[in-house]
Amino acid sequence: MTDASPPRHKRSGLFAPIGLFVIVLIGWSIWWFVLAGQVRQQLDQRVEAMRAGGWDVTYSRMSTTGWPFRVRVAAEHVSVTAPSGLAVAAPQLAAEANAWDPNKWVLIVGDGLVVDRPGKGKVAVRGQAIRASVHGLTQRWPNIAVELARPEFTAHEGAEAFPISRAERVELYVRPHLAPAGSPGVDTSVDVLFRLIDAEGRPGGPVEGMARNGKLTAQIETVIEDADRLQGADAAGVFAAWTRAGGRFTAVRGELSAGDSRATLSSDVLSAQADGRLQGTISLQAVKPMAAIAGLAQSGSGSVNRMGAAGATAAAAVRGDEDMALELTFRDGRTFLGPFAIVPAPKLF
């Protein structure tokens, strides 16, 4: 009786998964390099379009990395100057997205940035983190989030002082306007939310005066109508064409706290004058407003009308310092609390 030899297993089956993996890896790598090339091409086209529109854009040492799962575009010594003269410069700037979802990008600023304000000079911004995200690039209006964690603001020598010295957080969110389909203006409007959390004013400035050595927190939300007018820019700034076309802020709502003072605010409509100064009326429901108004009057800021602020303080003292309804009116380039002009009206451009 002869022994049957054991059956031999084919080894080709062991190589099938490896071959499949290699094919997938090659295909994915081709996709990654095509995507990275498209990103660089679109970025170059966008930069050239900005330069043709009067923007000054410079950078050095641009690189594309991140294989296999991310696409990361990084550059050094980035400087972007708008036709209005507003400029932002950063020593390091990077944008990255998942290779399988190039519709969402995260922008990261390394080692702080410098903002050059037309007529006011430069202010350095440093913090624990400075980043932004953009997603929904195929939408008419993408979703945008800007976040500064523990930022510090330092004006350069010879520049106008910045009202805030530091804050716990600064946040800005923009999204397509949420309203039922077919509502008037829904396709041309965007929702905006701004948060300033635990901000400290510069020594002797209006914010420090209002907060009485405490901290300022603000949350403002609004709808920007005719937002498509914000896409252009000229020497006056991005809001200039929007203002000339009758652009408005609607459904303005917010909350403010400065030291022991609190207020909720609302306005149906705000707009801007031809010179960029805000105009309209904001209703305030305030708690203990006298401390903030008195601190503003005593601040060392040259922008504060001390006589007007003192008058508003006296009027508040007569009415008491508990809950009270007030109105802030922006007109003729100034901010009025009742009949008293206290500070210049906010300037959009």
Side-chain angles (χ1 to χ4, degrees):
M1 185 175 185
T2 59
D3 294 333
S5 60
R8 294 185 178 182
H9 298 284
K10 294 183 178 181
R11 295 184 179 181
S12 58
L14 298 176
F15 296 103
I18 298 176
L20 180 61
F21 173 77
V22 171
I23 292 173
V24 171
L25 180 62
I26 292 173
W28 180 262
S29 298
I30 293 173
W31 156 251
W32 187 93
F33 282 104
V34 170
L35 176 62
Q38 290 177 343
V39 169
R40 283 294 299 268
Q41 182 181 20
Q42 292 179 10
L43 180 59
D44 291 341
Q45 291 174 351
R46 181 58 181 168
V47 168
E48 290 305 316
M50 292 176 67
R51 288 169 175 167
W55 294 67
D56 184 15
V57 183
T58 61
Y59 54 85
S60 64
R61 295 173 61 96
M62 181 174 287
S63 61
T64 305
T65 58
W67 181 89
F69 299 120
R70 290 180 178 272
V71 176
R72 178 183 174 89
V73 180
E76 297 180 0
H77 309 296
V78 179
S79 176
V80 180
T81 304
S84 63
L86 178 66
V88 178
Q92 298 176 351
L93 190 64
E96 62 180 39
N98 292 323
W100 61 85
D101 184 18
N103 197 37
K104 181 177 181 180
W105 287 83
V106 176
L107 183 70
I108 303 168
V109 178
D111 201 23
L113 54 82
V114 175
V115 179
D116 192 350
R117 303 161 292 168
K120 296 181 179 180
K122 297 180 178 180
V123 57
V125 184
R126 299 179 66 88
Q128 188 179 76
I130 302 175
R131 55 181 174 261
S133 66
V134 181
H135 68 89
L137 293 175
T138 58
Q139 303 170 174
R140 180 170 185 176
W141 308 111
N143 295 66
I144 301 173
V146 180
E147 300 175 329
L148 285 73
R150 296 186 177 178
E152 296 184 357
F153 306 89
T154 306
H156 284 201
E157 184 176 356
E160 182 177 314
F162 197 71
I164 302 297
S165 61
R166 61 180 57 86
E168 183 64 24
R169 293 186 69 84
V170 179
E171 302 173 353
L172 175 68
Y173 301 97
V174 181
R175 69 182 182 190
H177 180 43
L178 295 184
S183 300
V186 65
D187 293 332
T188 59
S189 301
V190 296
D191 296 336
V192 177
L193 172 63
F194 172 76
R195 290 190 181 124
L196 176 65
I197 301 172
D198 288 343
E200 299 178 23
R202 62 177 175 82
V207 172
E208 184 187 65
M210 289 176 59
R212 289 295 184 97
N213 296 321
K215 295 181 179 180
L216 172 67
T217 293
Q219 175 171 303
I220 309 292
E221 57 183 295
T222 187
V223 178
I224 298 181
E225 295 184 345
D226 297 315
D228 51 333
R229 303 279 184 174
L230 296 173
Q231 293 183 354
D234 57 22
V238 70
F239 279 100
W242 176 79
T243 297
R244 290 192 297 267
R248 306 185 307 170
F249 299 104
T250 60
V252 181
R253 302 290 183 268
E255 298 177 356
L256 300 172
S257 67
D260 295 330
S261 301
R262 303 283 189 275
T264 58
L265 61 89
S266 63
S267 177
D268 292 334
V269 178
L270 294 174
S271 59
Q273 302 175 152
D275 64 354
R277 295 286 182 183
L278 206 62
Q279 63 181 0
T281 300
I282 294 179
S283 299
L284 298 171
Q285 190 62 42
V287 178
K288 297 183 178 181
M290 191 172 68
I293 301 172
L296 186 65
Q298 296 169 9
S299 71
S301 173
S303 63
V304 177
N305 181 344
R306 291 186 177 83
M307 292 185 62
T313 303
V318 171
R319 297 176 59 182
D321 200 29
E322 298 304 321
D323 292 10
M324 64 177 67
L326 302 171
E327 281 193 347
L328 275 180
T329 301
F330 307 115
R331 70 172 188 270
D332 302 326
R334 294 181 292 177
T335 301
F336 290 82
L337 182 58
F340 304 101
I342 50 177
V343 291
K347 189 175 177 63
L348 297 182
F349 57 87

